[in-house]
């Protein structure tokens, strides 16, 4: 049997804000069979993750491309690999059988061949929707959990600020922080998102950064006694303002700098005297560095999900054709929660 496999690729390197004309849908014939002795696996993609960091892989050059195996460059015409959920349709690997549900790195496409050594594993859905494996129980969840607990080292009662708080990671950081016993304020880009943070996710407060002209003064208003922890998803001016309002021994977990991804001239420039004299720790991190806490993360998060203490936010588009617009929307503030695309039904 042979299928026509549709997938997304870039036409050219993307060095500014992504646009529809940067992408194209291609189709290639794919036999659903393997050569004798092959240990490859062919999977049918069900869900794929849509993440801002992919833009750095699409650039002509980025320091991230050589810093992590997850961020290697994508060249025009190549299939784009991404985290997702898939179903095994053909297997030459004795560890996997036809019909197995798996998570790992597949492609922005309908089918994918996974070579030996590829990052793929079977999973137990534990009664949750398959989409949770891409979001709250996937890398977004692990990033939030490890970033907050391992990098920020919170203490009960501390004051926490989360930027891009309605995004895939930020919303979970805020929820973990509240459950831990912290005071939490988030920033987002619309009145609707602000209401969501306060009314559904339990943030103590939130504000629309687009309505603020002086971010330092804004944060002083929301944190009159200072910020202990800043979970940074945006970089640039927001990071400067947060550092200016931090307490002694404050911690900044730098998870992402989405405001700088599309503008190479935009840079965060925190007051370094504050960093020195307040002994502020600013640390970047990747979720892949923290697989040692994966078991705790899954156990804790599943418990919270079952008791309704954590509310997953998912933003799901449908079909391969929707991937470019879904990706572009990340940089225009369109998504609420974890952005993903459902490619096929189970």
């Amino acid at each position: 049997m042979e299928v026509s496999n549709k997938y997304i690729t870039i036409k050219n390197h993307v060095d500014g804000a992504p646009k529809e004309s940067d992408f194209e849908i291609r189709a290639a014939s794919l036999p659903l069979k393997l050569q004798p002795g092959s240990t490859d696996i062919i999977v049918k993609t069900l869900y794929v993750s849509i993440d801002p960091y992919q833009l750095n892989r699409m650039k002509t050059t980025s320091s991230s491309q050589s810093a992590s195996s997850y961020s290697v460059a994508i060249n025009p015409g190549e299939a784009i690999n991404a985290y997702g959920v898939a179903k095994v349709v053909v297997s030459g690997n004795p560890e996997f059988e036809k019909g197995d549900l798996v998570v790992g790195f597949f492609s922005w496409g309908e089918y994918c061949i996974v070579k030996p050594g590829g990052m793929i594993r079977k999973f137990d859905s534990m009664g949750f929707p398959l989409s949770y494996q891409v979001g709250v129980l996937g890398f977004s969840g692990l990033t939030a959990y490890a970033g907050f607990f391992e990098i920020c080292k919170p203490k009960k009662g501390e004051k926490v600020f989360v930027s891009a708080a309605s995004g895939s990671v930020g919303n979970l950081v805020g929820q973990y922080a509240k459950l831990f016993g912290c005071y939490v304020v988030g920033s987002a880009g619309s009145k609707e998102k602000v209401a969501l943070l306060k009314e559904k996710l339990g943030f103590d407060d939130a504000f629309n950064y687009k309505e603020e002209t002086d971010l330092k003064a804004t944060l002083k208003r929301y944190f009159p006694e200072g910020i202990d922890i800043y979970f940074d998803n945006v970089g640039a001016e927001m990071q400067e303002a947060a550092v200016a309002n931090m307490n002694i021994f404050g911690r900044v977990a730098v998870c992402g700098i989405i405001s700088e991804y599309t503008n190479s001239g935009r840079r965060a420039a925190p007051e370094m005297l504050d960093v020195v004299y307040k002994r502020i720790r600013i640390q970047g991190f990747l979720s892949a560095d923290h697989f040692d806490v994966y078991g705790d993360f899954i156990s804790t998060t599943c418990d919270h999900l079952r008791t309704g203490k954590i509310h997953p936010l998912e933003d799901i588009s449908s079909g391969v054709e929707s991937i470019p617009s879904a990706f572009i929307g990340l940089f225009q503030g369109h998504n609420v929660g974890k952005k993903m695309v459902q490619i096929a039904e189970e």
Side-chain angles (χ1 to χ4, degrees):
M1 180 180 174
E2 188 172 274
V3 295
S4 178
N5 179 33
K6 288 190 294 185
Y7 64 96
I8 301 296
T9 186
I10 52 173
K11 296 179 182 178
N12 43 260
H13 289 296
V14 185
D15 290 312
K19 52 190 183 298
E20 289 278 355
S21 59
D22 292 322
F23 301 90
E24 66 176 326
I25 301 174
R26 291 190 175 184
S29 295
L30 177 67
L32 295 184
K33 63 179 181 180
L34 299 171
Q35 295 296 321
S38 172
T39 55
D40 292 349
I41 300 168
I42 302 176
V43 301
K44 179 180 182 179
T45 308
L46 304 180
Y47 291 89
V48 288
S49 181
I50 308 296
D51 300 291
Y53 84 91
Q54 296 277 37
L55 182 61
N56 296 319
R57 301 183 62 202
M58 299 173 187
K59 295 178 180 179
T60 303
T61 182
S62 169
S63 59
S64 65
Q65 294 174 2
S66 59
S68 169
S69 59
Y70 297 102
S71 301
V72 295
I74 298 168
N75 295 312
E78 293 179 346
I80 299 170
N81 66 316
Y83 192 72
V85 173
K87 191 171 189 176
V88 176
V89 293
V90 181
S91 177
N93 186 324
E95 296 182 12
F96 299 92
E97 298 180 357
K98 181 179 178 180
D100 283 346
L101 291 172
V102 290
V103 292
F105 281 85
F106 308 119
S107 70
W108 277 1
E110 295 175 315
Y111 292 86
C112 178
I113 298 175
V114 182
K115 298 290 184 182
M119 184 176 175
I120 180 174
R121 64 173 177 82
K122 290 185 280 189
F123 67 90
D124 179 357
S125 68
M126 296 172 284
F128 298 120
L130 293 183
S131 58
Y132 282 21
Q133 300 296 324
V134 181
V136 64
L137 298 178
F139 274 107
S140 293
L142 179 59
T143 299
Y145 185 90
F148 183 64
F149 290 107
E150 298 297 302
I151 304 299
C152 297
K153 302 290 186 185
K155 301 179 183 67
K156 292 185 187 301
E158 286 194 310
K159 298 169 182 63
V160 178
F161 173 47
V162 184
S163 57
S166 66
S168 63
V169 174
N171 87 86
L172 293 171
V173 171
Q175 293 186 75
Y176 285 131
K178 281 301 301 175
L179 289 168
F180 185 74
C182 294
Y183 176 83
V184 184
V185 175
S187 65
S190 72
K191 292 180 180 178
E192 293 76 16
K193 291 179 179 180
V194 166
L196 175 71
L197 295 176
K198 294 194 291 184
E199 296 168 11
K200 181 175 181 178
L201 303 188
F203 281 56
D204 293 288
D205 218 329
F207 64 90
N208 180 357
Y209 70 89
K210 293 180 180 179
E211 296 179 343
E212 304 295 336
T213 56
D214 185 338
L215 290 174
K216 291 181 181 179
T218 298
L219 290 178
K220 181 67 175 177
R221 187 168 75 247
Y222 282 93
F223 293 96
E225 297 178 359
I227 299 168
D228 298 302
I229 291 171
Y230 171 41
F231 199 96
D232 188 6
N233 290 304
V234 301
E237 299 90 346
M238 192 68 82
Q239 187 190 103
E240 295 175 27
V243 169
N245 281 277
M246 295 200 81
N247 291 325
I248 292 174
F249 298 116
R251 289 86 76 203
V252 180
V254 184
C255 175
I257 51 170
I258 192 169
S259 68
E260 301 180 26
Y261 290 168
T262 58
N263 184 345
S264 60
R266 199 172 179 186
R267 292 286 184 271
E271 175 56 67
M272 295 309 293
L273 276 176
D274 283 340
V275 174
V276 172
Y277 282 93
K278 292 183 180 180
R279 285 85 91 194
I280 296 169
R281 188 183 72 206
I282 302 175
Q283 183 175 341
F285 74 99
L286 298 174
S287 59
D289 299 332
H290 297 282
F291 282 127
D292 58 317
V293 301
Y294 182 80
D296 291 337
F297 152 64
I298 289 292
S299 176
T300 300
T301 305
C302 286
D303 286 346
H304 289 327
L305 288 169
R306 291 190 182 100
T307 57
K309 293 179 180 178
I310 278 186
H311 303 279
L313 291 184
E314 297 181 328
D315 192 332
I316 305 176
S317 300
S318 299
V320 171
E321 297 84 356
S322 71
I323 290 177
S325 61
F327 182 68
I328 292 164
L330 292 177
F331 302 93
Q332 299 173 345
H334 292 173
N335 65 299
V336 177
K338 177 59 188 176
K339 187 64 191 179
M340 66 185 83
V341 172
Q342 183 175 13
I343 305 297
E345 300 283 347
E346 181 184 343

